[in-house]
Amino acid sequence: MNKILIVLTAAIVAAIIFFVPPIRGLGELAKIIFFHVPTAWVAVIAFFTGAWYAAKFLRTNDFTADELSARAAKLGFVFVLLSTASGAIFSKLTWGAYWNWDPRQTTIFVLILIYGAYLTLRSAVADEKVRAKVSAVYSLFSVLTVPFLVFIVPRMFFSLHPEPVLNSSGRVQMDTVVLIVLIASVIDATLLFVQLMRRS
Amino acid sequence: MKSFVCRCEQVVAIVRKDFVVSLRRRAALAAMMMFALTATAALSLSTSGVVEPKILSALLWVIIFFAAGAGVAGTFDDEAQAGTLPTLKLYADAQAVLFGKMIHVLASLISLTVFIVPTFLILFDADVADGLLMVATLLLGLIGLSAAGTLTAALTTSAVAKGGLFPILLFPVTLPIFLPAISLTEAALTGAAFDGGSLVMMMMFDAMLVTAASILYDYL
């Protein structure tokens, strides 16, 4: 699995450098989008994975589930920080400012706050059993905000973000090479997350 | 699946007990009120009371949020420190404890709001153009804060550095209430047309927070 991941990552990096055309008016640095989108995707996947293991822990009292929930949160925290930093750079290139509280920036920032709060809570409780229980409850409690942050808040406020690849008209509005490389990088980042979760 | 049984008499007894305790030990309520007053005075002094309605409504909710933290964080911890929490859980149903505490927290936050909102409006020389909208927004915001705040207070009972931890845990889960609450408060202050969908969203989120708190409290 590790070897496949290394080859896939190297192939994607090569494709981004040599095959993806430069984005008009933004230069080569704008290719950071191929890093930003996958890391944001994994940050959200990690959030739901953490919640799933939290629910499993509350159902079974299996401490392995608690450990996996915590690991997903730690990985999610790293990925959300990477996504926020790369997104801020892309934002500066395209909109002229690192930060403007665009609804999706707000959503990703709240994800940072939730991961940070979860990890702080874990570090603030000494007893292992209590820590596992309160962390699992908070993980599930915070997941309730996701539908509002992801689906409702971005539609309540004006967004500078481009339309999703598959938009309401059902058409793919992206160069084929760009689309293939983007999908490949999302798959690569997801596999990397799965591999990191499996590490004992 | 557990069937729903109303432990209304237990809930009422817990609310009454917490009310009596808070009257005897006024520290939590006093801290909450004084925090809100100090923050309002500091902001009004530093800005000479001249602030745009949008910023004003955001400031009001920030004050309510952090003042609530000062008063609500110890909801379960005070019981745990006194050693009465296990006894309370022994005599009353877990759901009765949660809802009793939640109602008491809501009553405390309403008292805080009744005190701080007029003070805030006077110190910033602001008028309310739509009183009904203001009351509805405040009430919906406080219900969400009470539900999330009560569960968060239960989570931090065994934690160290509770004072700092409480707002960190509470803010992300109440943000979907804050955003519409701030825009609705601005509309109430200016009298501008408001989005009814924001009120519905606050109601929905309140219902979700109360339901989730009720389900999750059983695991603590």
Side-chain angles (χ1 to χ4, degrees):
Chain A
M1 183 70 168
N2 280 341
K3 284 175 189 167
I4 296 169
L5 260 175
I6 291 167
V7 172
L8 184 61
T9 309
I12 289 166
V13 171
I16 292 167
I17 295 170
F18 300 113
F19 294 109
V20 173
I23 300 171
R24 209 179 302 152
L26 299 176
E28 290 289 322
L29 192 58
K31 287 182 180 176
I32 201 167
I33 199 71
F34 293 99
F35 182 74
H36 169 65
V37 174
T39 46
W41 164 259
V42 172
V44 175
I45 293 282
F47 186 71
F48 287 112
T49 307
W52 192 80
Y53 280 116
K56 193 178 175 190
F57 170 77
L58 290 180
R59 230 180 29 245
T60 60
N61 265 326
D62 176 8
F63 280 85
T64 313
D66 172 59
E67 210 176 282
L68 287 169
S69 181
R71 193 180 299 168
K74 284 173 195 163
L75 288 171
F77 191 53
V78 173
F79 275 93
V80 81
L81 289 177
L82 292 173
S83 171
T84 308
S86 54
I89 293 167
F90 190 74
S91 169
K92 178 72 175 172
L93 285 171
T94 51
W95 307 317
Y98 287 109
W99 204 262
N100 50 39
W101 290 112
D102 170 279
R104 289 205 180 95
Q105 284 183 329
T106 309
T107 302
I108 209 82
F109 199 81
V110 171
L111 214 51
I112 293 179
L113 294 181
I114 290 173
Y115 279 133
Y118 174 87
L119 295 171
T120 310
L121 178 64
R122 285 192 78 87
S123 67
V125 181
D127 186 278
E128 195 190 352
K129 280 181 189 166
V130 178
R131 180 174 61 224
K133 226 164 29 177
V134 296
S135 309
V137 166
Y138 187 70
S139 178
L140 289 171
F141 197 45
S142 62
V143 99
L144 287 177
T145 61
V146 171
F148 281 86
L149 292 169
V150 175
F151 301 112
I152 296 173
V153 174
R155 274 136 196 89
M156 278 178 69
F157 303 99
F158 175 72
S159 177
L160 290 169
H161 266 79
E163 269 194 274
V165 174
L166 284 172
N167 45 60
S168 51
S169 64
R171 287 193 193 139
V172 177
Q173 297 174 336
M174 202 178 267
D175 182 275
T176 314
V177 176
V178 172
L179 183 65
I180 290 168
V181 174
L182 190 62
I183 290 171
S185 28
V186 168
I187 292 168
D188 183 48
T190 311
L191 290 174
L192 180 67
F193 170 69
V194 172
Q195 187 63 2
L196 290 170
M197 281 297 288
R198 285 167 61 185
R199 270 181 56 191
S200 54
Chain B
M1 195 176 184
K2 274 202 292 188
S3 58
F4 176 75
V5 181
C6 180
R7 313 271 184 205
C8 299
E9 68 289 343
Q10 290 185 1
V11 173
V12 172
I14 289 165
V15 174
R16 194 182 296 141
K17 176 198 77 69
D18 277 358
F19 182 68
V20 172
V21 171
S22 67
L23 283 182
R24 280 192 200 141
R25 290 190 236 145
R26 286 179 282 269
L29 199 61
M32 200 160 66
M33 301 281 187
M34 282 313 295
F35 180 94
L37 183 62
T38 310
T40 305
L43 290 167
S44 177
L45 268 171
S46 58
T47 58
S48 306
V50 184
V51 183
E52 291 287 310
K54 189 172 182 66
I55 309 289
L56 203 61
S57 36
L59 288 177
L60 177 63
W61 278 102
V62 168
I63 290 169
I64 290 174
F65 176 82
F66 283 101
V72 178
T75 304
F76 285 89
D77 191 46
D78 292 346
E79 296 262 12
Q81 296 286 332
T84 53
L85 193 58
T87 321
L88 190 67
K89 283 181 175 172
L90 201 65
Y91 279 97
D93 182 75
Q95 291 297 311
V97 174
L98 174 76
F99 281 99
K101 295 278 182 196
M102 206 185 282
I103 292 168
H104 179 254
V105 165
L106 179 62
S108 306
L109 292 184
I110 290 173
S111 319
L112 165 77
T113 311
V114 166
F115 163 70
I116 203 61
V117 171
T119 312
F120 184 88
L121 293 172
I122 290 165
L123 290 180
F124 282 96
D125 194 24
D127 290 319
V128 177
D130 190 341
L132 196 63
L133 178 64
M134 187 77 172
V135 171
T137 305
L138 284 168
L139 197 61
L140 289 173
L142 296 184
I143 290 170
L145 265 182
S146 309
T150 309
L151 187 73
T152 307
L155 291 177
T156 54
T157 308
S158 311
V160 292
K162 289 177 199 63
L165 193 60
F166 186 82
I168 292 171
L169 294 175
L170 187 60
F171 184 69
V173 289
T174 50
L175 192 72
I177 287 179
F178 261 62
L179 295 179
I182 290 169
S183 61
L184 287 170
T185 305
E186 185 195 357
L189 291 174
T190 58
F194 65 95
D195 176 21
S198 297
L199 272 176
V200 176
M201 183 180 152
M202 284 181 80
M203 273 186 240
M204 277 171 58
F205 200 69
D206 281 351
M208 278 175 69
L209 283 174
V210 172
T211 310
S214 167
I215 293 167
L216 293 171
Y217 185 73
D218 279 340
Y219 291 100
L220 290 174

